[in-house]
Amino acid sequence: MTLEAKMATLERHVFGRRAEKLPTAAAELRGAASEDESKAARDEAAKKKRQQRAARKAEEAPAREVRHAVPVEERHCPACDIEDLRPLCRGRTSEVYESILPRFERQVHVQEVLVV
C-alpha cells in the first residue's frame, strides 16, 4: 500500500461519515415529548406530591386548643355599657403550627366573641 493510499484511508477514518446514532430505549419509551416539556411535567408532579404530603402531615399533627376569653373587666358593651353579654358563636379561630422537636404541633387559638 502506498503512502497516498494510507493517507486516504486515515483521512476517511478521522474525517469520514459516521454511522447514525439511534435513540436510546428510554427516549423512545418516553415518546415524542420534548425534554423541556417532560421536565416541566415531572417538576409539576413533584410539586403536587410535596403539597399533598405537607397537607397530610398538617392534618396528622397533634392539635391543642388554646382559648382566649374576654377578661372580666372588659365584659361590657362599649356603646351602652350593658354587662349581660352572651357568646355569639364558637369564636374566631386561627391556626399556628409550632415546631416542637422532633414533631410539629398545631395550635388552634379560639378568641371569644360576645354580643348583647
Side-chain angles (χ1 to χ4, degrees), residues 93-113:
T93 61
S94 61
E95 293 184 357
V96 176
Y97 291 92
E98 186 175 344
S99 175
I100 301 174
L101 294 179
R103 61 181 170 81
F104 283 93
E105 177 183 75
R106 180 171 56 112
Q107 295 178 353
V108 181
H109 292 266
V110 181
Q111 293 177 331
E112 185 178 27
V113 179

Side-chain angles (χ1 to χ4, degrees), residues 35-74:
E35 189 64 33
D36 293 337
E37 291 174 358
S38 63
K39 183 179 181 334
R42 284 186 306 223
D43 290 346
E44 187 65 32
K47 180 181 176 183
K48 187 175 181 180
K49 188 173 182 178
R50 279 193 312 268
Q51 289 173 343
Q52 289 173 346
R53 186 179 298 138
R56 189 182 73 240
K57 284 184 178 181
E59 288 174 1
E60 293 174 356
R64 178 170 55 112
E65 189 171 290
V66 180
R67 294 200 150 277
H68 300 280
V70 176
V72 176
E73 57 272 3
E74 294 179 16

Side-chain angles (χ1 to χ4, degrees), residues 5-19:
K6 288 183 181 182
M7 271 310 269
T9 305
L10 185 59
E11 284 179 1
R12 271 195 315 271
H13 178 70
V14 174
F15 301 111
R17 288 179 22 178
R18 301 280 183 231

